[in-house]
Amino acid sequence: MFHFILADLRRNWIGALILAFLIALATALGVSVTLQERALRLGSARAAAAFDLVVGAAGSETQLILSSIFLQPAPLQLLPPATLSTLRADPRVENAIPVGFGDFVGGYPIVGTTGDAIGMLGGLAGGEGFSHLGDAIVGSQVTRDIGDSFHPFHGSVGEAGEVHAHVEYRVVGRMVPTGTPWDRAILVPIQSVWAAHADHDHEAETAGLAAVAHVPHDHGHDHGPGFAGDPVDEAALLSADNPGVPAILVKPKSIADAYNLRQQYRTETTLAVFPGEVLTRLYGTLGDARRVLGFVAMGAQGLVGAAILMVVAVHVLQRRRQIGALRAFGAPRPVVMGMVWLEVFMLVAAGVIAGFAIGYAIVRAISSHLAKSSGVAMPVEFQTADLWTLAGLLLACAIATLLPALIAYRQSPSQALRA
């Protein structure tokens, strides 16, 4: 039986290959939708896992999370100046890390923060932490080496902006890979961001990202070489008149403290959110889109499957003389039916399995591209549910391919040979 099936497939290998390829493409469409949605969900969840609570100015919760955790540039309002010092002095807070944005270099965002952020993100792979205002620590994907120096520019990625010629940073350390957008960020002391934007008070309201307004300074002071060598002043973080920041990453000491802080800072002027809550809402929207795309994929698969079954049925009818000859030489009906069924099922099953492999490869390529541009590592992986899906598809194929087998079963030798 198997020798006959293999010989028939070799004889019609072009048609068999086309049928299997069409089935593979239809299957890959559905597999890609499922795997890509899962990769986005897992990647974003892991990226936000290190951050318990985010405090920002009243506004959009989603934008606050996208800007403070996923480092997506957007004009955020500044928090009241006393918020940072109050949180850092709060006994319920283990750590309160300010983040300020607005500057870039080579397409990488410069994030003003404190040395505590390095520990929250996993620590250093090499070099040392902040000790001077001109120190910078690069993420694992930033193409700058320890010892390199650079001038930041103010603006947006891909757009021309004003270069801060009076500010020079020197790379002193590199962070361990985190699989988050922070791998593509450059961390500098928040005090240096305040100082760098001291002459841009009029931009603070619209920039928002730079997190600098009303910085007391001497307009005649030169922030040249002395700026880079100035030590980091931690006392400025506890000052109630600090320039302000667009967001603060808070690590509470307990779950109860987290909920109390969240309630306390949800006011008319401030906003406190759990990243998981915002991501859950985004996942709901993403899940709705996945279901729509899933229905589209199922429709495409159904149309392709119906067309293929029609082609196979016509092919079986065209082979009725061959089937009649087998019956005339004594082949029982069940054997002929089994040969036809097995040949068609092998083609369909090969296409389904190849479709899973193609879908996986497509999503790996897409996720790799997205990870390079966003910094969010997106794990592409099959789960137990996918194996059940594969088994269900193969079972459906086994049932559907009974149609051409039944056509062969019902043919009598005399009718087939007279045709």
Side-chain angles (χ1 to χ4, degrees), residues 10 13 63 177 192-193 213 224 233 243 248 275 280 295-296 338 418:
R10 281 196 298 268
W13 68 272
Q63 190 58 65
S192 70
V193 176
D233 182 14
I248 302 173
T280 298
F295 286 133
V296 172
R418 284 199 304 266

Side-chain angles (χ1 to χ4, degrees), residues 400-419:
T401 51
L402 287 174
L403 174 61
L406 288 173
I407 294 175
Y409 180 84
R410 296 184 61 182
Q411 289 188 137
S412 65
S414 59
Q415 291 175 339
L417 293 175
R418 284 199 304 266

Side-chain angles (χ1 to χ4, degrees), residues 173-380:
R174 179 178 295 276
M175 292 191 299
V176 298
T178 64
T180 72
W182 295 75
D183 288 341
R184 294 180 51 81
I186 299 176
L187 276 61
V188 301
I190 186 67
Q191 297 89 337
S192 70
V193 176
W194 288 337
H197 292 81
D199 294 323
H200 300 279
D201 294 349
H202 63 283
E203 297 179 1
E205 285 297 321
T206 56
L209 304 166
V212 180
H214 313 299
V215 181
H217 63 281
D218 180 5
H219 287 279
H221 181 67
D222 180 13
H223 294 296
F227 168 76
D230 289 345
V232 175
D233 182 14
E234 296 293 340
L237 299 176
L238 300 178
S239 173
D241 60 353
N242 68 74
V245 292
I248 302 173
L249 307 178
V250 180
K251 186 174 183 61
K253 291 184 177 179
S254 67
I255 295 178
D257 292 335
Y259 279 93
N260 289 334
L261 288 167
R262 176 179 177 273
Q263 182 176 2
Q264 177 181 340
Y265 283 92
R266 293 182 71 89
T267 66
E268 294 182 357
T269 57
T270 60
L271 178 68
V273 296
F274 295 135
E277 288 183 337
V278 177
L279 291 177
T280 298
R281 289 195 293 271
L282 290 177
Y283 296 155
T285 303
L286 193 62
D288 292 339
R290 183 185 68 83
R291 279 191 289 272
V292 172
L293 292 175
F295 286 133
V296 172
M298 289 174 61
Q301 292 166 355
L303 291 175
V304 171
I308 289 173
L309 283 179
M310 289 180 61
V311 172
V312 171
V314 171
H315 177 65
V316 171
L317 290 174
Q318 290 176 343
R319 293 174 53 196
R320 58 186 180 274
R321 292 183 64 87
Q322 181 185 27
I323 294 172
L326 288 173
R327 292 282 290 114
F329 283 111
R333 285 178 182 266
V335 172
V336 174
M337 177 183 175
M339 291 172 58
V340 174
W341 175 83
L342 185 58
E343 180 177 344
V344 177
F345 177 72
M346 286 173 59
L347 277 175
V348 176
V352 169
I353 295 173
F356 269 71
I358 293 173
Y360 178 82
I362 291 174
V363 175
R364 281 295 298 267
I366 294 175
S367 296
S368 177
H369 175 73
L370 292 176
K372 288 181 181 179
S373 60
S374 68
V376 179
M378 300 182 186
V380 182

Side-chain angles (χ1 to χ4, degrees), residues 138-189:
V138 297
S140 61
Q141 295 184 17
V142 176
T143 56
R144 291 186 179 268
D145 299 323
I146 294 178
D148 289 351
S149 299
F150 60 88
H151 296 281
F153 72 85
H154 184 71
S156 302
V157 175
E159 298 180 3
E162 178 184 355
V163 176
H164 294 298
H166 61 284
V167 178
E168 183 178 62
Y169 291 111
R170 178 175 175 272
V171 179
V172 298
R174 179 178 295 276
M175 292 191 299
V176 298
T178 64
T180 72
W182 295 75
D183 288 341
R184 294 180 51 81
I186 299 176
L187 276 61
V188 301

Side-chain angles (χ1 to χ4, degrees), residues 69-88:
I69 293 181
F70 296 95
L71 305 183
Q72 298 297 310
L76 297 180
Q77 295 295 320
L78 300 179
L79 279 163
T83 306
L84 176 60
S85 57
T86 301
L87 277 170
R88 290 184 72 88

